[in-house]
Amino acid sequence: MPRISRDNSPTEIREILFKNPIIERNIKVQMESSMETNKLKTAALRGSFATGLGALVATLGSAVGLGNIWKFPYLTGANGGAAFIIIYTLSTLLVGLPVMIAEIMMGRKARANAIGTMQKLSPSKKQPWWIIGAMGALAAFMIMAFYSEVAGWVLAYIFKSLSGQILSTSPEVTSQAFVNLVSDPWQSLFWQWLVLAVVCLILVQGVSKGIEATTKRLIPLLFILLVIVDIRSLTLPGAGEGLRFLFTPDFSKITAVAVLTALGLAFFKLSAGMGTMVTYGSYWPDDQNIPLNTVRIMFSDLFVSILAGLAIFPAVFAFGFEAAAGPSLLFITIPAVFASMPFGNIVMVLFFILAAVAATGAMISLVEVPIAFLNEQFKLSRAKSAVLTTILIALVGSTAALSNSSLADFQLFGMNMFDLYDFVSSNILLPLGGLLVVIFVGWFWGDRKVKAALSNEGTLKNQAIIAAYTVIVKFISPVLLLVVMLRGLNLLPF
Ligand code: PFF
């Protein structure tokens, strides 16, 4: 090795030093460790899920919600049972899952909130892809406005079933109890704001200590409660009829409308199309296999929906109630069904607790979208961002809470505020957001980047899955999403 002498110029000295293997290694180690420290510092500043399992459970917590306990059963009931479940599963694979994968992948790559992610990943500053993120934040507000109200009713029902107020086998009586609740402005606001306060308290504690820690407790609790209610429902005499309804497909019931409803549900279920999965993806550890884990989440979510169906339909049929009762299935039919069975009161309390548990994981993921945005883009502290977001949602949400009482006559486009928020978010913002996401990933971001993101920079062997994904995201999902959206806007002839 050349020696350093007084005659060497500074450039020569540097070259000699760099050729020395020990010095070279030291420099490399120092650089790596400072990069590592930087990464850790950013992670600590913006928060992230501490473990792969935590990321998986928190994301499952977002997917599982009133969609499983409320929407899935009433839509399955109204659209003919098993055949609808098959169509719904296919829709999830072709639409919900591809968008979910796209969002998690983008968030993890950019490590930023929904709007910041689109700004970072956009191939050119001139292309306004950040609008997808902004639409997502808007959708989060609208969904929370009505979702927190339904969650409020669920909370109220825990107490009402504890006190025996809704314990009647007559749907007329349970229906009257429901009307009394929703038409009382103070009760409606009280329960909604209570729900929002709980959600805010969880979120103030941060990504790992708040979201991850809470969902890790809630998800197992949800499974245990569901299994208990399932056992009660399945051991009733006459439960077989409900099982047949859930598991024997009758494809004559499948109309174009049922298919489109299944597509819309697949989307809402996986919390896709509105920045939630981008935000959660930005907290996922780098070493997680995105395709594998999202498929796990999708099937676990489907499993929870089936368990909810098993809790509801065998009992509904055993006592001769109407399976196709629509949205009121949860609040009018279910109490009457439970009141008809031995130990019904306890089962009813457990059932509404489990619905509240499911709703909580979904709501914290919804509210996290604007919080992450305020926190990063406006440098507000997490606590301030959480309180500000909650107050704004409470204000917007009150208009939904009062839509059956003080604001019953206030209508826009022929809908009250509750229905309007549901309509605009589910029928316009979510499918449009999803459509733009798959167009961005399929056609603008670049196949090379998709491949790198889904194979963790080449360390995973996901080739076949990546090839299939590229085709689905480019051609199949966009077409299906366009159809869902046009149909949601009543622009299709069926
Ligand atoms: N996936 C939730 C459910 O099925 O109840 C609802 C939801 C949560 C939709 C979060 C959208 C979202 F961003």
Side-chain angles (χ1 to χ4, degrees):
M1 185 196 309
R3 291 184 144 242
I4 299 172
S5 79
R6 278 165 181 245
D7 307 330
N8 289 124
S9 70
T11 334
E12 281 166 346
I13 296 176
R14 205 175 307 138
E15 266 176 17
I16 296 168
L17 281 178
F18 267 94
K19 277 195 190 119
N20 180 324
I22 302 177
I23 294 182
E24 195 190 345
R25 215 187 41 232
N26 274 343
I27 293 176
K28 227 173 119 192
V29 169
Q30 268 194 22
M31 275 170 56
E32 272 170 9
S33 87
S34 88
M35 269 161 60
E36 210 42 52
T37 329
N38 272 344
K39 264 196 200 162
L40 288 176
K41 267 192 202 156
T42 1
L45 277 181
R46 65 179 311 275
S48 64
F49 296 130
T51 62
L53 181 68
L56 196 93
V57 174
T59 314
L60 177 62
S62 166
V64 167
L66 292 169
N68 308 60
I69 316 286
W70 173 54
K71 274 196 181 215
F72 176 85
Y74 89 69
L75 288 175
T76 305
N79 290 289
F84 179 80
I85 300 180
I86 295 174
I87 306 282
Y88 162 71
T89 310
L90 284 177
S91 312
T92 312
L93 284 169
L94 294 177
V95 180
L97 189 62
V99 180
M100 184 189 190
I101 292 180
E103 291 193 17
I104 292 191
M105 163 171 90
M106 294 193 299
R108 192 180 68 172
K109 183 73 201 166
R111 297 254 174 250
N113 64 83
I115 297 179
T117 291
M118 296 318 297
Q119 282 172 336
K120 273 193 187 176
L121 301 186
S122 175
S124 119
K125 290 242 165 347
K126 290 207 193 91
Q127 298 176 8
W129 290 106
W130 59 268
I131 288 178
I132 305 181
M135 267 171 31
L138 182 67
F141 270 93
M142 292 203 167
I143 297 182
M144 267 311 280
F146 71 89
Y147 203 92
S148 59
E149 181 56 15
V150 183
W153 297 337
V154 169
L155 205 56
Y157 265 53
I158 296 177
F159 291 93
K160 284 183 193 294
S161 49
L162 270 173
S163 66
Q165 274 179 55
I166 43 174
L167 197 66
S168 164
T169 52
S170 145
E172 282 78 48
V173 176
T174 53
S175 165
Q176 192 53 49
F178 184 58
V179 171
N180 289 348
L181 170 66
V182 300
S183 60
D184 178 341
W186 289 112
Q187 271 206 65
S188 304
L189 286 178
F190 171 79
W191 292 112
Q192 182 187 44
W193 291 2
L194 188 60
V195 163
L196 289 173
V198 173
V199 170
C200 180
L201 275 180
I202 297 172
L203 284 166
V204 163
Q205 295 171 56
V207 177
S208 186
K209 290 206 180 109
I211 303 175
E212 189 175 355
T214 309
T215 42
K216 263 188 167 167
R217 287 190 197 113
L218 292 185
I219 290 284
L221 178 66
L222 176 76
F223 271 101
I224 295 171
L225 291 174
L226 258 177
V227 170
I228 297 176
V229 182
D230 277 353
I231 293 175
R232 175 62 287 203
S233 179
L234 287 169
T235 48
L236 290 168
E241 187 71 20
L243 279 180
R244 227 163 294 129
F245 177 75
L246 265 183
F247 295 120
T248 327
D250 171 5
F251 284 99
S252 68
K253 297 262 167 55
I254 292 302
T255 57
V257 174
V259 173
L260 292 165
T261 309
L263 276 165
L265 177 67
F267 213 63
F268 183 83
K269 274 301 320 108
L270 290 187
S271 313
M274 49 146 302
T276 299
M277 288 299 162
V278 175
T279 311
Y280 269 25
S282 77
Y283 304 141
W284 272 42
D286 276 322
D287 58 359
Q288 293 303 297
N289 186 338
I290 296 178
L292 178 69
N293 282 345
T294 45
V295 168
R296 283 183 176 146
I297 292 169
M298 183 222 132
F299 279 107
S300 314
D301 177 65
L302 180 63
F303 185 56
V304 174
S305 295
I306 303 277
L307 287 183
L310 285 176
I312 294 172
F313 291 112
V316 166
F317 280 91
F319 296 105
F321 285 99
E322 183 54 69
S328 63
L329 184 70
L330 188 60
F331 299 103
I332 296 175
T333 315
I334 289 296
V337 168
F338 286 139
S340 313
M341 63 175 76
F343 307 110
N345 203 10
I346 302 170
V347 186
M348 188 162 15
V349 174
L350 294 184
F351 183 83
F352 284 109
I353 292 179
L354 84 84
V357 165
T360 308
M363 284 188 294
I364 54 184
S365 74
L366 274 161
V367 185
E368 179 63 15
V369 178
I371 292 183
F373 169 70
L374 288 177
N375 186 217
E376 280 167 24
Q377 272 354 54
F378 291 97
K379 307 278 172 264
L380 284 186
S381 71
R382 194 172 172 84
K384 276 196 190 134
S385 311
V387 172
L388 186 64
T389 307
T390 310
I391 292 177
L392 284 175
I393 293 177
L395 290 177
V396 183
S398 323
T399 60
L402 299 177
S403 62
N404 287 305
S405 50
S406 325
L407 295 180
D409 296 330
F410 183 71
Q411 304 220 329
L412 281 178
F413 309 107
M415 284 176 266
N416 66 28
M417 289 298 108
F418 184 104
D419 295 334
L420 185 76
Y421 296 140
D422 189 4
F423 180 84
V424 175
S425 55
S426 305
N427 293 3
I428 303 174
L429 293 175
L430 292 194
L432 183 60
L435 179 64
L436 293 175
V437 163
V438 286
I439 290 178
F440 176 75
V441 167
W443 299 97
F444 286 86
W445 201 33
D447 289 358
R448 220 169 26 87
K449 290 189 183 139
V450 172
K451 209 167 168 185
L454 293 184
S455 66
N456 291 358
E457 312 296 330
T459 54
L460 301 172
K461 288 196 189 56
N462 278 341
Q463 268 97 333
I465 294 175
I466 295 172
Y469 181 73
T470 320
V471 175
I472 294 177
V473 92
K474 271 193 168 83
F475 303 103
I476 303 177
S477 314
V479 173
L480 290 174
L481 276 163
L482 195 64
V483 176
V484 173
M485 216 178 73
L486 294 178
R487 143 93 182 131
L489 291 173
N490 283 331
L491 295 175
L492 290 183
F494 49 84

